[in-house]
Amino acid sequence: MVNGQRVVVFDGLNETEEVLKAILEPRGCSVDRVRQRNSNDLNSNCEIPSIVVVHDDDLNESNTSQPGWNQVPKVVIGSVRKSKITSAGQTTRFLMQPFQYAELIDSIESLLQQSPASD
């Protein structure tokens, strides 16, 4: 994994953020969490992330909340795979609920290896 990459958890559980920080930060990847109801979170973290982790219920809000985020690779956690949420040129991995954190980390690491490092 390349240092300097950034994973953003959009809403979701506190536990998701904590697990990802525990696993990914020692490997040189920063992990942040933004909440759609708190615009200060989005404004203070305006740098485009390497990967966005989002629940399918929150996907539309994460796409429109920041310029450029609609092209960021995503890991979508949900109960139904929705075809309307994938746009051309975008890499999206789907995890069905209930999911295992090992699956989430594998998906993130795979996408991080494919994406160029953001400086």
Side-chain angles (χ1 to χ4, degrees), residues 46-62:
C46 61
E47 176 188 337
I48 296 175
S50 304
I51 306 290
V52 173
V53 177
V54 62
H55 287 266
D56 61 1
D57 295 342
D58 302 320
L59 187 60
N60 290 334
E61 290 83 357
S62 73

Side-chain angles (χ1 to χ4, degrees), residues 3 23 28 38 44 56-57 61 70 81 91 95 97-98 102 107:
N3 287 343
I23 300 296
N38 187 348
S44 65
D56 61 1
D57 295 342
E61 290 83 357
N70 58 343
R81 184 177 176 149
T91 305
L95 295 179
Q97 287 188 3
S107 294

Side-chain angles (χ1 to χ4, degrees), residues 41-114:
D41 285 345
L42 292 171
N43 293 335
S44 65
N45 293 313
C46 61
E47 176 188 337
I48 296 175
S50 304
I51 306 290
V52 173
V53 177
V54 62
H55 287 266
D56 61 1
D57 295 342
D58 302 320
L59 187 60
N60 290 334
E61 290 83 357
S62 73
N63 282 344
T64 59
S65 60
Q66 290 293 312
W69 281 37
N70 58 343
Q71 295 302 316
V72 173
K74 292 175 179 55
V75 177
V76 179
I77 302 166
S79 54
V80 178
R81 184 177 176 149
K82 299 178 183 178
S83 59
K84 67 177 183 174
I85 58 177
T86 324
S87 60
Q90 178 184 22
T91 305
T92 304
R93 301 282 171 95
F94 294 89
L95 295 179
M96 299 297 285
Q97 287 188 3
F99 70 97
Q100 299 293 318
Y101 281 106
E103 294 174 300
L104 177 58
I105 291 164
D106 287 345
S107 294
I108 291 170
E109 288 179 336
S110 174
L111 290 170
L112 287 173
Q113 290 173 0
Q114 294 174 15

Side-chain angles (χ1 to χ4, degrees), residues 21-39:
K21 281 186 176 202
I23 300 296
L24 299 176
E25 285 187 345
R27 299 177 188 178
C29 183
S30 67
V31 177
D32 295 305
R33 181 170 178 228
V34 295
R35 293 158 186 86
Q36 70 180 10
R37 292 174 184 83
N38 187 348
S39 61

